[in-house]
Amino acid sequence: MWSLIVFNYGKWGSEIMYGAVISFWLITHLINLTFSLYISWGRPIHRQSERFAREVAGIISTGDDTKIAIKTVDVSDNGLSFVSLDNHVLHIGDQISVKLAHDDIKFMGTVKVVHGQNRYGLMIEQITAFNQNKLYGLIYNGKNRLLPWKQDSWVTIYDSLLLNLTYHIKNVRMIIKIRREHGKQ
């Protein structure tokens, strides 16, 4: 911000027009620095690989043979997250088996619940090579109808910055609210 002010201070007319390229460059670097701050602040990351948004219907079986209907939220190489469609409660550490089906891809594996309340996170514990390939097909299939067919060209770096700012402001407000509630108790 300071470099923008110092560079543009006292400029008039054509100087501002010719300096617009440098001003744009400084604004772009300001946005990049803001993103790097967001990354350095971090957040809890429960997976070591990229998450891909996939809404796939499935069934999980608990140890006592309870069948629960689920819908995945996202899938990665070593885990998935889902919401329970029948509001069944699972506990962290539970080992369950999962079956997902989408078009001709059917995935089965044994997973462990690693976090969850409304949305559960599962880590894959046991999987055969055949089912691992099925999972990769579900994740990386380029002709998967779950993927967008076009990139939204109207979403610019400025829109991404605004989305990140609002996300972080909401998180700060939530942390302040939680601290106030716990301080009153």
Side-chain angles (χ1 to χ4, degrees):
M1 287 299 290
W2 183 250
S3 61
L4 273 169
I5 294 168
V6 168
F7 178 75
N8 289 310
Y9 184 76
K11 289 195 165 104
W12 300 102
S14 62
E15 291 177 320
I16 289 180
M17 186 179 72
Y18 291 125
V21 173
I22 294 174
S23 295
F24 176 77
W25 178 77
L26 290 171
I27 290 169
T28 303
H29 282 293
L30 176 66
I31 291 169
N32 291 338
L33 285 171
T34 306
F35 281 125
S36 66
L37 282 175
Y38 292 151
I39 291 169
S40 68
W41 286 337
R43 65 177 182 88
I45 298 175
H46 301 290
R47 297 196 193 158
Q48 295 180 4
S49 55
E50 184 68 30
R51 300 176 186 198
F52 296 92
R54 301 286 186 272
E55 289 186 6
V56 179
I59 296 174
I60 59 172
S61 302
T62 61
D64 58 356
D65 291 332
T66 304
K67 305 271 190 226
I68 303 167
I70 65 166
K71 180 175 74 171
T72 63
V73 177
D74 57 50
V75 182
S76 70
D77 290 353
N78 57 359
L80 59 107
S81 65
F82 72 91
V83 291
S84 173
L85 298 178
D86 55 4
N87 297 325
H88 190 84
V89 177
L90 296 171
H91 303 287
I92 295 175
D94 287 352
Q95 277 199 325
I96 55 179
S97 62
V98 64
K99 294 178 185 177
L100 300 176
H102 176 68
D103 291 339
D104 61 340
I105 300 173
K106 292 178 178 43
F107 162 76
M108 296 181 349
T110 303
V111 295
K112 179 180 178 182
V113 179
V114 290
H115 66 87
Q117 288 175 340
N118 299 331
R119 180 172 148 177
Y120 293 95
L122 305 176
M123 185 173 67
I124 297 173
E125 295 223 319
Q126 293 177 349
I127 188 170
T128 63
F130 177 75
N131 281 320
Q132 184 72 44
N133 286 336
K134 294 290 186 179
L135 179 63
Y136 289 154
L138 179 67
I139 295 171
Y140 298 112
N141 185 0
K143 295 181 182 176
N144 191 334
R145 286 182 283 143
L146 299 171
L147 295 172
W149 287 96
K150 287 195 250 180
Q151 180 179 357
D152 187 359
S153 61
W154 287 100
V155 176
T156 64
I157 190 169
Y158 304 110
D159 297 321
S160 297
L161 177 65
L162 182 62
L163 289 171
N164 273 299
L165 281 171
T166 55
Y167 172 79
H168 280 46
I169 289 170
K170 285 180 184 177
N171 277 351
V172 168
R173 286 182 180 166
M174 186 184 313
I175 290 169
I176 291 170
K177 181 181 176 184
I178 290 170
R179 287 183 180 166
R180 283 183 184 162
E181 289 174 358
H182 287 291
K184 292 179 182 177
Q185 293 177 353

